Amino acid sequence: MKTLGHWLASRWRRSLAAALAGALPVLAFPAPALWWCAGVALVPWLLLLRTAPTGRRAVYDGWCGGFGFMLAMHHWLLPSLHVFTFVIAALLGALWAPWGRLVLRMLGPAAPPRRVAAGLVVVPSGWLSIELVRSWQGLGGPWGMLGASQWQVAPALTLASVGGVWLISFLVVAVNAAVAVLVAVRRARTPAVAGLAAVAAVTSAAWVWAPRPDTGGTVAVAVVQPGVIAGPDRRFDREEQLTRRLAGRGVDLVVWGESSVGFDLAERPGLARRLAALSRETGADLLVNVDARRSDRPGIYKSSVLVGPQGPTGDRYDKMRLVPFGEYVPARSLLGWATSVGKAAGEDRRRGSEQVVMRVGDGLRIGPMVCFETAFPDLTRHLAQDGADVLVGQSATSTFQGSWAPAQHASLAALRAAETGRPMIHATLTGISAGYAADGTRIGPGLGTDASAARVYDVPLARGTTPYVRFGDWAVYAALLVLVVWAAAEGVRTLRFRRNAPERRVPPARTAHGSPARPGR
């Protein structure tokens, strides 16, 4: 019977094992939502990397694992992007290639205990640097950051208020690294236990001492979710019907989902009058989302538009961060072929230039974002700094009904609320719509993907500033500093080794007769 080592001797079987191991952490995210497995889900991948026969093989195993992670995280894009989904997963998976070599260096069989102990900090720092790079909007944005898998865990949400989702990711990887060391590196079990104790201490300290949101007063925010309806006119009719049912319920704000209005309101004044009439009937302003070619400037925009009793108030936010391929094609001259193999954007949407905080009713300030933007912690942080009382995300995942995408998207609002200490409403066309308090906990039940309804959330307002809003992405900078210090230490160690290495004496060349060769002869 062949051992596991013999089975992995084949490079193809080893590559498959790395891809499967890299995909395991996705089970911690919605929809499976096995959040508890995040603490050990990386262990098989780490064990594989640390036993790579060469540094080159560790690089390749890192790439294969990254490919598996990205493909599993974004598998619901397959009906839209088809084969291009594999291309994206392969390109982004390459970000983990250096990380594979780093794991071998820090945790491999040849690593002394002191280096293994340092690896419990260096390896999570390397992971965080990958999340930083792929958080760039042009590379797909921060969808599927490992810390986001803990969106239902109260201690993790408290950590988010201190260091954002970044801090959670770092600690989750640190726990996995410590467990891998406990399993495979007997000589370094003491620092591994110390590492687990340190994670527990940091989490406990945050739970005890992190400031809690100071709540006071509530506002009633209604979410209108029409469900899967073909055609912008029919969808508008259904949204209008659902909104009328909110009359007399004391609502302060009504939120429609992304692309809820398919026409520019200046071009269709009749729609603007109908929205104004709804505002008068409900006694609340309406935040709708217009997905249309604008009449006052060239191009198609996705815009959050506030409508009051007299019509559009003039408050408008144009989406700034667009979905690659879904709303624009990066380097269209090179990658435009994606439109022929999938549902990539035929025409690029235009970008907005700045975030907007809108005033609603009796002074309530809301910070709108559109769909994909709720994945970016810096956007909600800046809205909180600018004085937003309630964060609002308008989304549409209609294309991905029945997949993991709606649940993954809705879960991000919990993290954004916890990070900023501000409640957040996530309104969609087809679900999942939900409300979250300032500590990231749910406000009442959500609206699932099978619902066509309106729901009112009594949102508790909060004051104060979280450490994350005040200090920003300090966890990322700390991780980068760790990598810089480690790289400098490695460089110094290499120089010392070369200086202290005994000089090799080269014997003089001999002639055929055994006498020393004479220079120049």
Side-chain angles (χ1 to χ4, degrees):
M1 182 176 173
K2 292 184 177 182
T3 65
L4 180 61
H6 285 120
W7 191 86
L8 292 175
S10 164
R11 61 178 182 174
W12 298 111
R13 287 197 291 263
R14 189 178 182 93
S15 298
L16 176 61
L20 292 175
L24 276 179
V26 178
L27 296 176
F29 292 81
L34 304 176
W35 61 266
W36 47 267
C37 78
V40 295
L42 286 175
V43 171
W45 191 8
L46 288 168
L47 294 178
L48 188 69
L49 291 169
R50 70 170 299 275
T51 57
T54 64
R56 183 176 180 179
R57 183 66 231 187
V59 167
Y60 197 69
D61 289 345
W63 188 353
C64 291
F67 169 79
F69 181 70
M70 287 287 95
L71 183 62
M73 183 61 67
H74 299 92
H75 72 276
W76 40 269
L77 287 173
L78 281 167
S80 298
L81 297 183
H82 305 306
V83 68
F84 208 77
T85 309
F86 293 91
V87 175
I88 293 173
L91 292 174
L92 293 178
L95 294 173
W96 277 270
W99 188 72
R101 181 68 179 85
L102 180 67
V103 172
L104 177 62
R105 173 69 177 167
M106 303 306 296
L107 307 181
R114 184 174 298 179
R115 188 188 302 164
V116 173
L120 299 180
V121 178
V122 174
V123 168
S125 297
W127 182 282
L128 215 58
S129 69
I130 297 169
E131 291 200 336
L132 174 65
V133 173
R134 74 181 186 89
S135 291
W136 179 48
Q137 183 260 330
L139 291 179
W143 189 281
M145 294 175 70
L146 192 58
S149 65
Q150 305 302 293
W151 68 280
Q152 297 181 84
V153 184
L157 292 173
T158 303
L159 287 170
S161 74
V162 175
V165 67
W166 310 100
L167 180 58
I168 307 175
S169 288
F170 181 92
L171 295 178
V172 168
V173 179
V175 168
N176 277 272
V179 172
V181 170
L182 283 175
V183 170
V185 191
R186 180 175 300 178
R187 65 186 182 279
R189 286 179 177 175
T190 298
V193 172
L196 291 174
V199 171
V202 169
T203 305
S204 300
W207 180 259
V208 173
W209 286 302
R212 299 297 195 271
D214 184 12
T215 58
T218 61
V219 292
V221 180
V223 170
V224 172
Q225 179 179 300
V228 180
I229 297 176
D233 286 308
R234 292 182 58 202
R235 182 168 60 243
F236 189 96
D237 291 342
R238 179 57 177 165
E239 290 163 331
E240 184 179 40
Q241 181 186 38
L242 292 171
T243 303
R244 282 206 174 95
R245 297 178 184 177
L246 299 170
R249 298 186 61 179
V251 175
D252 297 292
L253 174 68
V254 179
V255 183
W256 291 11
E258 178 189 14
S259 304
S260 49
V261 178
F263 307 95
D264 184 79
L265 293 178
E267 290 287 328
R268 296 281 295 267
L271 294 182
R273 287 193 293 269
R274 289 166 67 180
L275 290 170
L278 289 174
S279 177
R280 293 192 294 270
E281 287 182 47
T282 59
D285 289 347
L286 274 65
L287 184 69
V288 301
N289 189 268
V290 177
D291 183 3
R293 194 174 301 277
R294 289 183 62 164
S295 58
D296 59 339
R297 63 182 65 177
I300 302 173
Y301 288 79
K302 284 191 175 182
S303 306
S304 300
V305 176
L306 192 65
V307 180
Q310 307 305 318
T313 65
D315 286 325
R316 181 185 190 115
Y317 166 66
D318 297 322
K319 186 177 184 181
M320 297 167 57
R321 297 185 183 173
L322 305 177
V323 180
F325 299 99
E327 294 171 336
Y328 80 102
V329 176
R332 185 176 284 272
S333 60
L334 295 175
L335 302 177
W337 58 270
T339 60
S340 63
V341 299
K343 299 177 183 178
E347 177 182 349
D348 292 349
R349 299 292 199 276
R350 301 296 181 94
R351 303 174 189 273
S353 58
E354 60 182 359
Q355 291 184 269
V356 176
V357 174
M358 303 177 180
R359 286 191 174 272
V360 176
D362 296 329
L364 177 68
R365 292 163 297 186
I366 63 171
M369 292 160 291
V370 184
C371 195
F372 174 62
E373 294 182 321
T374 64
F376 292 85
D378 65 301
L379 292 183
T380 48
R381 176 174 170 253
H382 292 149
L383 287 172
Q385 289 175 325
D386 292 340
D389 299 312
V390 178
L391 305 171
V392 179
Q394 295 175 293
S395 172
T397 50
S398 311
T399 307
F400 309 111
Q401 294 293 96
S403 74
W404 294 359
Q408 285 184 14
H409 201 176
S411 70
L412 295 175
L415 288 163
R416 304 292 87 87
E419 288 168 341
T420 58
R422 295 294 181 269
M424 182 163 180
I425 296 296
H426 182 73
T428 73
L429 289 184
T430 59
I432 298 172
S433 298
Y436 299 92
D439 61 357
T441 57
R442 279 210 175 195
I443 308 170
L447 288 172
T449 54
D450 58 347
S452 176
R455 176 153 292 161
V456 179
Y457 294 99
D458 291 320
V459 180
L461 298 177
R463 295 180 296 275
T465 303
T466 65
Y468 177 70
V469 170
R470 179 171 296 146
F471 301 112
D473 300 327
W474 64 265
V476 179
Y477 302 137
L480 294 177
L481 180 60
V482 166
L483 293 177
V484 169
V485 171
W486 170 77
E490 287 287 294
V492 170
R493 188 179 297 110
T494 301
L495 287 175
R496 286 179 178 173
F497 176 79
R498 289 177 178 174
R499 287 176 181 174
N500 297 331
E503 186 177 346
R504 295 181 61 186
R505 294 180 178 272
V506 180
R510 297 277 178 175
T511 65
H513 299 288
S515 60
R518 296 179 182 177
R521 294 292 297 269

